Amino acid sequence: MRNLAFLAPLAATLAIAGAAQAQPAEVSVSIGPELQQKMEDLGEREVRMEADRLAVTVRDALAQSGALEGSRVELVLVELKPNHPTFEQMASRPGLDRLRSVSIGGARIEGEVISADGQHQPVRYEWFSTTLADVHGFATWQDAERAFDRLAANLVAGRLVTR
């Protein structure tokens, strides 16, 4: 038993060394010029929160899967449509109802993956609900977040340019 006691610290050291070598992908998200023009209507705070949510969604999916290790993923949130009115929209248009005012939502994202060896690969993805019948739930950004999840799944699977 004593002869095996040294293996536990050795295994822990090897696990830490292996983890230090694996570098998860860096993910950054910026807001495209078209969307910047709509930020006043949608609410700057909410748009920035969705950009942050996109970054976290992609970063977490890539880290969990180990995909694109050592790469940089630079995304641009080009278009963002809510399913329900944002706080800013409700403040500027009192006739909107938080729950009963429903619209087709989604997001369009572009950018690139810069691999560890310096290669640049374009990234494009968009998803919008096609009819109001597709809108389920009460979250303001439900379809946009669905687009974020689907983009993350595509990146993990190696599909960088999809529609």
Side-chain angles (χ1 to χ4, degrees):
M1 189 68 121
R2 235 188 207 176
N3 294 340
L4 298 177
F6 77 94
L7 289 178
L10 178 63
T13 302
L14 291 174
I16 291 170
Q21 289 178 342
Q23 298 209 347
E26 293 179 35
V27 179
S28 65
V29 176
S30 61
I31 298 170
E34 293 173 28
L35 184 54
Q36 285 180 6
Q37 292 177 355
K38 296 178 183 177
M39 282 177 68
E40 188 175 320
D41 178 56
L42 294 172
E44 183 174 342
R45 182 176 150 270
E46 287 193 62
V47 172
R48 292 199 188 284
M49 285 175 56
E50 287 306 303
D52 291 344
R53 187 168 287 140
L54 171 59
V56 168
T57 299
V58 171
R59 187 179 303 117
D60 288 352
L62 294 176
Q64 187 174 15
S65 69
L68 301 175
E69 283 185 351
S71 298
R72 266 191 358 249
V73 180
E74 297 177 353
L75 300 174
V76 178
L77 190 52
V78 177
E79 190 173 359
L80 187 63
K81 292 185 177 181
N83 292 104
H84 294 278
T86 65
F87 289 115
E88 187 67 35
Q89 289 172 326
M90 287 188 301
S92 63
R93 289 175 238 144
L96 291 175
D97 182 286
R98 172 81 181 99
L99 299 177
R100 288 181 277 186
S101 297
V102 180
S103 63
I104 292 173
R108 181 164 48 110
I109 303 127
E110 296 178 357
E112 66 181 349
V113 172
I114 304 165
S115 63
D117 62 3
Q119 293 185 28
H120 294 247
Q121 297 177 293
V123 172
R124 278 193 309 264
Y125 185 79
E126 71 178 50
W127 191 86
F128 297 92
S129 37
T130 54
T131 68
L132 290 178
D134 292 340
V135 179
H136 303 285
F138 300 104
T140 302
W141 300 103
Q142 179 177 322
D143 286 337
E145 291 170 10
R146 183 178 296 158
F148 301 165
D149 291 339
R150 289 179 176 191
L151 169 65
N154 282 331
L155 290 172
V156 166
R159 295 183 302 267
L160 303 181
V161 178
T162 55
R163 290 273 181 206

